[in-house]
Amino acid sequence: MPTVTPKSPGPEPERPGLFKQLLPFVFAVGILVWVFTGLSVNVVDEALRIDEHGEARLAKHGVKTHTLVLKSTDGKRLYCGVSEGAEAAEACPQGVDFHVRMLDGAAVLLRALPDRLAPGTDLRADYVHTLSIGDLVRQLESVDLGWFIPVMIALMVIFFSSDVFGFGGAYRLFNVPDMSWREILVLRGGPYLVQVGLAPLAEVLFPLYLLRVKRVPVTHTLSSNLWTLLNDVAAIFTLLTPAVLYNLFVNTVVPVIGFEWLIGCALFWALYFSGMFFWPSERGRRLSKRTGGLMRSFTKAQPLHYLRIYAVRITVWLAFVAANYAALRAVGMDPTLPVALIGIPLIVMSIFLPIGVGGYGGPQLIAWFLLVKIGGAGTAEQAVLYSLLFSTAFLAGRAAIGLVFFRTFYNRCLRRHPIDTSQPEAV
C-alpha cells in the first residue's frame, strides 16, 4: 500500500496591523460625524417684515444664503439678492433688490431698492439652514414619541428583512444560488453606514462586493438590482393607483392630480406585466444580449419570482406608510388617505436621492409641497418637523444596522485580498 505523505500546512495568514484593524471603525465614525455635523433643513415660508431701517433678520442660524428665495406674501413677486460684496451682474440682471449680511451667525437682509422693499413690506422666505444636534433635540422635544418609537423599531426590522429577502433573494435567484443568508446580511447591511451619508457610493458597494468576493460581473448584479427595483416601483404603484382612482372618481382631495396620473399608472402596469412575459421569450433574450447583461435577470425571472419579491417589497412599503403616518400624527398632522398614499412613498423615495444629507434637506421641501401646499394636511412647520422626525429615526436605525455589519463587510470586500466564501456565479 503506497504511503501517503501528508501535505505540509501552508503559511499562517499574516495578522493585520493595528491600523488596518481600526480602519473600519475610523471610517464608520467619520461617516457618522460627517452626517451629523452636516445636517441641513428647509425652512418654508418664513414670515418677514422690512423694518424702518430697511432690514429684516431671518430666524434661523447657519443660513445657506445661496438657497434663499424671497417673495411677496402672495408668492407672485420674487426678489433678487446677493451676499454683501458679491458681484450682482449675473445673479440679478434686472437689478439687486436686497443684500445679505451675516451678523453673529444670523442672516440679515438689507434693502437695495427702497421703492420695492419699503419699510413695512411683508415678505415670505424659503431657505436651507444647517441644523445642529442641539437644534434637532429641541425641535423633537415637543413631539409625542410614545407610539412612534415602537412603530419605527418595527419598521427597521421589516425594512432590513425586506432588503435581505428582496435584493438578497434576487442575488440567490440569478447570481449566486448557494449564497448563505448570513452572508447576505453582511452584504446588504454593511453599506447602510455609507448610505446614510453617501447614498450613490453605497449603491456601488453592492456590485463591488459581488465582483470581488463572488466573481459576479457588475452588469449581472446591476440587472438583479434593477429587477428588484422594478418590483419596488410596482409596490409603490400598488399604493398610488387606488389613491389616484379615489381622487378622480370618489373625492377630489388633491385637484392637481388629474387623468394624466391615471394614464401614468395604467402605462406602468401595462409595461410591468408585458415585460414579465416578453423578456423570458426568445426575442427578449436576443434583445437582452445587446445590453451587456443588464437585462439578464429579467430573462431568467418567472412569474412566481415576481410574485415572491413583490410580496416582500409591498410589505416594506406598507410599513413605510404606517411609520410615516405615525410620524405625521406625532406632530399633529392629519392627512387624508389619498394624500398619505400619494405623498408618503414619494417623500420616502427622496431620502435615498442625493438631494440632502442623510435624508435631510430636500425631503423637507417635498413633504411641504405634497402634504401642505397640495394636500392641505397641516402647516409648513409641521411638515418640516414631521420630515425631521422620520428622517432622524430612519437614519439612526440604518446607522445602527450598518455599525453591526460594516467591519465584516469591509474585511471581506475592501481589503486587498477579499475572501471568496462561495462558488462563482451560476451560469
Side-chain angles (χ1 to χ4, degrees):
M1 183 175 180
T3 304
V4 178
T5 305
K7 294 182 180 180
S8 59
E12 293 187 2
E14 181 181 354
R15 183 179 179 85
L18 180 61
F19 175 76
K20 289 185 177 180
Q21 295 184 57
L22 292 178
L23 189 59
F25 298 100
V26 173
F27 182 79
V29 171
I31 283 284
L32 294 177
V33 170
W34 180 77
V35 168
F36 279 105
T37 57
L39 302 181
S40 62
V41 62
N42 285 90
V43 171
V44 182
D45 280 350
E46 178 185 321
L48 298 171
R49 171 169 287 189
I50 301 295
D51 63 19
E52 63 274 14
H53 304 294
E55 299 181 359
R57 181 186 293 257
L58 298 178
K60 304 296 183 180
H61 281 62
V63 173
K64 298 183 178 181
T65 56
H66 66 279
T67 67
L68 175 63
V69 176
L70 194 66
K71 56 192 176 183
S72 58
T73 53
D74 59 9
K76 295 181 179 179
R77 172 180 288 185
L78 296 179
Y79 299 95
C80 188
V82 295
S83 298
E84 195 172 43
E87 293 292 334
E90 294 183 4
C92 301
Q94 304 300 322
V96 178
D97 297 313
F98 65 92
H99 296 280
V100 183
R101 172 192 299 169
M102 299 305 296
L103 184 63
D104 297 329
V108 179
L109 311 184
L110 309 172
R111 63 176 181 170
L113 295 176
D115 58 326
R116 296 190 67 184
L117 290 174
T121 301
D122 291 318
L123 303 166
R124 312 291 296 188
D126 303 343
Y127 57 89
V128 176
H129 72 100
T130 56
L131 186 71
S132 69
I133 298 299
D135 293 334
L136 180 61
V137 171
R138 282 190 292 273
Q139 291 198 46
L140 298 180
E141 283 178 349
S142 61
V143 176
D144 180 11
L145 300 177
W147 59 302
F148 171 72
I149 292 178
V151 170
M152 281 303 302
I153 293 175
L155 170 65
M156 293 313 305
V157 173
I158 295 172
F159 174 79
F160 187 43
S161 300
S162 176
D163 200 329
V164 169
F165 291 108
F167 287 91
Y171 300 150
R172 282 170 60 96
L173 283 172
F174 309 125
N175 303 119
V176 191
D178 61 347
M179 191 174 187
S180 69
W181 291 111
R182 178 178 295 181
E183 187 172 6
I184 293 175
L185 289 173
V186 174
L187 167 59
R188 294 303 304 183
Y192 277 14
L193 194 62
V194 180
Q195 193 179 64
V196 299
L198 299 168
L201 177 58
E203 296 307 313
V204 174
L205 294 178
F206 302 120
L208 179 64
Y209 182 100
L210 288 177
L211 175 66
R212 287 175 58 82
V213 180
K214 303 296 183 184
R215 303 196 292 278
V216 177
V218 170
T219 54
H220 293 187
T221 302
L222 293 178
S223 181
S224 294
N225 287 347
L226 289 173
W227 181 79
T228 306
L229 286 173
L230 175 66
N231 287 283
D232 222 17
V233 175
I236 295 171
F237 270 85
T238 302
L239 303 178
L240 187 61
T241 303
V244 171
L245 290 170
Y246 177 89
N247 191 77
L248 286 175
F249 300 111
V250 180
N251 181 19
T252 306
V253 179
V254 185
V256 298
I257 295 178
F259 275 93
E260 64 275 10
W261 284 65
L262 184 59
I263 293 172
C265 291
L267 182 61
F268 169 79
W269 287 119
L271 292 173
Y272 179 75
F273 286 109
S274 62
M276 186 183 302
F277 297 98
F278 169 76
W279 289 110
S281 69
E282 183 63 30
R283 181 178 297 181
R285 288 195 294 270
R286 286 200 305 267
L287 181 60
S288 172
K289 291 179 180 179
R290 302 176 186 175
T291 67
L294 281 176
M295 303 306 294
R296 178 179 183 272
S297 296
F298 291 78
T299 64
K300 293 179 172 294
Q302 299 300 313
L304 187 60
H305 298 151
Y306 279 88
L307 180 60
R308 184 192 307 175
I309 303 303
Y310 168 83
V312 171
R313 301 310 294 175
I314 190 64
T315 300
V316 76
W317 281 104
L318 289 173
F320 269 130
V321 171
N324 275 265
Y325 187 76
L328 289 168
R329 297 294 294 162
V331 300
M333 299 183 75
D334 188 16
T336 61
L337 184 59
V339 170
L341 292 180
I342 293 170
I344 287 175
L346 297 178
I347 294 167
V348 174
M349 287 176 65
S350 72
I351 294 175
F352 299 97
L353 299 177
I355 55 177
V357 176
Y360 297 86
Q364 284 82 54
L365 187 59
I366 295 173
W368 165 78
F369 180 76
L370 294 174
L371 298 176
V372 179
K373 187 174 180 62
I374 293 180
T379 66
E381 290 76 14
Q382 287 176 317
V384 170
L385 186 56
Y386 143 72
S387 185
L388 277 175
L389 176 63
F390 180 81
S391 294
T392 300
F394 193 51
L395 181 148
R398 285 182 294 156
I401 293 171
L403 283 171
V404 172
F405 296 105
F406 181 75
R407 183 173 183 271
T408 304
F409 180 93
Y410 178 92
N411 287 336
R412 288 183 180 177
C413 175
L414 301 179
R415 70 181 194 173
R416 185 175 180 182
H417 300 292
I419 302 171
D420 189 348
T421 58
S422 80
Q423 297 300 316
E425 179 188 29
V427 179

